[in-house]
Amino acid sequence: APKWSIAPQDTVVTMGSCFAQHIATWLRARNLNVPFFDTGDNIKSRNFSANYGNIYTVKQALQLTQEIAGQRSCSEKGWALADGFVDPLRPNVFAAPVESPDRVSTLRKGHLEAVKAAFDALDILVFTLGLTESWRVNACDTVLPTAPGVVAGEYDPQKYGFVNFDYAEIRGDLEQFCAAVQALRGGREFKLILTVSPVPLTATFEDRHVLQSSTYSKSVLRAVAGDFAAENGFADYFPSFEIINNPAAKSTFFEDNFRSVKPDAV
């Protein structure tokens, strides 16, 4: 029972965890209006509406709006690889590393302008909530999409800290994020579709089995999404998590690794 529908002329912007890429691809294949606002140079894919890559936590999304508004910046300017540097806030985006941290900063400025343009143009934002666990830079409190040392950079327990967000933190961040997007739009309202990624965790930093952490993460995100949509007329919830994890599907909606979602399921 949707609150409203997506019209062909509505501008749709997608962001969030990896599952949000499937939503954008599906909408575009059906000729709905999901523009790409960023550059295609040296980029692995154009699956999102801009080159932010996976935004796994609401805190990441909130900090992105704060960065656009000039209210914060990350103290980490570039993570080194053997043949160059990548952006710590989107380390998987570049097709090839760039030559210097200064070049990373220059590209990031252009990216922030593209994201601002996307926020300004959208009628509907589709936001997929993915994780509660994250890593952050102690010096500036910036939340990262991946742990340092996984894709690039080096892990240093003195420089980075682990965080596992709870319901109250995520709910507060979501409220601030929506207010920030509206502020970047000059006060103009927008519609929000919330989904929860059905992809389970494959690892956890908590001292417990990954099944427990995965259930915690998805339960909290589902509760936040459901409550927020129930209490805000501009927001609605689409049950991608429930559809893919439906017991009647007997896990047939997943690939052989039981994590990746099959195209037919999407």
Side-chain angles (χ1 to χ4, degrees):
K3 295 180 181 179
W4 26 260
S5 59
I6 302 175
Q9 68 271 18
D10 286 336
T11 298
V12 180
V13 166
T14 65
M15 70 187 311
S17 73
C18 54
F19 192 76
Q21 301 178 51
H22 296 309
I23 295 174
T25 300
W26 191 94
L27 293 172
R28 287 177 178 136
R30 282 143 188 85
N31 296 317
L32 287 167
N33 184 26
V34 189
F36 182 72
F37 291 88
D38 219 326
T39 176
D41 297 339
N42 193 30
I43 298 299
K44 289 181 180 179
S45 70
R46 297 159 58 105
N47 290 334
F48 288 114
S49 297
N51 294 325
Y52 22 69
N54 293 328
I55 297 179
Y56 291 109
T57 62
V58 181
K59 180 69 76 176
Q60 275 182 265
L62 173 60
Q63 291 186 344
L64 179 60
T65 62
Q66 294 170 337
E67 191 178 2
I68 293 170
Q71 298 169 347
R72 69 173 298 111
S73 62
C74 182
S75 57
E76 306 267 312
K77 301 305 180 185
W79 276 353
L81 289 170
D83 51 350
F85 295 85
V86 296
D87 189 339
L89 302 184
R90 47 179 189 151
N92 281 311
V93 165
F94 299 142
V98 299
E99 62 272 17
S100 67
D102 286 343
R103 180 59 178 160
V104 171
S105 296
T106 298
L107 292 172
R108 184 151 193 87
K109 290 179 182 178
H111 169 60
L112 294 177
E113 293 174 0
V115 179
K116 184 178 180 181
F119 284 150
D120 185 65
L122 67 82
D123 296 298
I124 298 173
L125 175 63
V126 182
F127 189 10
T128 299
L129 310 182
L131 295 174
T132 58
E133 293 189 18
S134 192
W135 290 85
R136 59 185 168 194
V137 183
N138 293 332
C140 60
D141 201 37
T142 299
V143 171
L144 302 166
T146 61
V150 174
V151 177
E154 296 182 1
Y155 175 68
D156 182 344
Q158 301 301 314
K159 293 177 60 178
Y160 308 105
F162 172 76
V163 59
N164 197 357
F165 297 108
D166 61 23
Y167 177 97
E169 292 171 311
I170 298 168
R171 177 64 188 266
D173 287 342
L174 184 57
E175 291 171 351
Q176 291 182 64
F177 169 71
C178 290
V181 171
Q182 187 169 347
L184 289 172
R185 293 166 52 80
R188 289 180 295 122
E189 296 182 351
F190 65 99
K191 294 176 181 177
L192 174 70
I193 297 176
L194 291 169
T195 69
V196 174
S197 170
V199 180
L201 277 69
T202 193
T204 178
F205 192 73
E206 295 283 6
D207 187 21
R208 62 190 178 200
H209 196 280
V210 69
L211 289 176
Q212 291 174 269
S213 287
S214 189
T215 298
Y216 169 82
S217 180
K218 303 302 179 178
S219 298
V220 169
L221 295 174
R222 174 61 182 87
V224 169
D227 288 351
F228 190 87
E231 297 170 18
N232 292 277
F234 75 94
D236 209 351
Y237 174 75
F238 181 78
S240 56
F241 179 84
E242 290 87 343
I243 292 170
I244 301 303
N245 286 285
N246 173 17
K250 300 178 181 178
S251 297
T252 58
F253 286 165
F254 290 101
E255 301 285 3
D256 291 343
N257 62 6
F258 293 106
R259 294 191 70 247
S260 303
V261 179
K262 291 181 179 178
D264 287 349
V266 175

